Structures are given as structure tokens and as C-alpha cells.
Amino acid sequence: MRKVTIEYRVPYADTDQMGVVYYGNYLTLFERSRNELMRACGYTYKECEEEGWMLPVTHAEVDYRRPAKYDDLLEITAWVKMHKGVRIEIACEIRRKGEEQVLVSGFTRHAFVSTETFRPISPPERFIAILGVAKED
């Protein structure tokens, strides 16, 4: 299973009045790591669109355990959790750099869809092979 970890320093703009990262911003961090997972595997989202398919989010789950704060250096790890039919789930964990404790974890579920029709399509074999994930029946 391929994993990628990126670093992200929390800017003041990402925090709320309580001084912690606003809860909705974690999904943006999930997206950053998801894009870098694809890039690390040699496949960019731009290439997906050029080939005629997209991966819109159909479901998201986030488990908030501990808050991240302004100026924290975070490590965000992403990997493919599951692939079944036209669906794929990308899991994420967020930690402060150098710490073991998970601050936030979760996943996003996506559907492979055509850029022309917005209808589900079979995932390209090249993409699945690059991610190194086994299909679930």
C-alpha cells in the first residue's frame, strides 16, 4: 500500500476564534495530501481530467481527536483505504511533526465519473495499478 506524507505549517488564517484550526479546514488538508499521493504515484489530477474522468467526493468522515493550532507543523499522511467498483476511499491522518498522537483522522470516498456525462465509469486500470491497491469484491 502506497502512502505519502506531506508537511503543512498552520497559518493564522486557518484558525478560528478559539485559536485552533477551523474544523472545515481539515478537509482541505485531506485534499492536499490526496493530490500529493496521486502525484507521488506519478499521476496528477490534471492527467485524470485530460483522460476524461474525475474523482468527485461523494462522502467524507472526519474524527477530531485533538486540535491543531497556529504555527503547528503538521504531517498529513494519505493512502488508499479501499477500492470497490467505481468507488475509492482515501484515508488521512494528521499529526504534529515528530509526535505519534493522531490529531485528526478520516477519509473521503470518491466515484470515478466521466468528465463529459458526469456518470460513473470504470476506473482506469493504469490508475489502480499505480496506486497499488487491491480491489474489494
Side-chain angles (χ1 to χ4, degrees), residues 18 55-56 86:
M18 295 179 284
L55 283 171
V86 300

Side-chain angles (χ1 to χ4, degrees), residues 13 32 51 72 84 89 91 99-101 111 115 122 136:
R32 287 175 187 267
E51 290 180 9
D72 281 350
K84 183 176 182 178
E89 291 182 1
E99 295 182 12
E100 291 296 317
Q101 187 174 48
T115 56
S122 296
E136 283 188 16

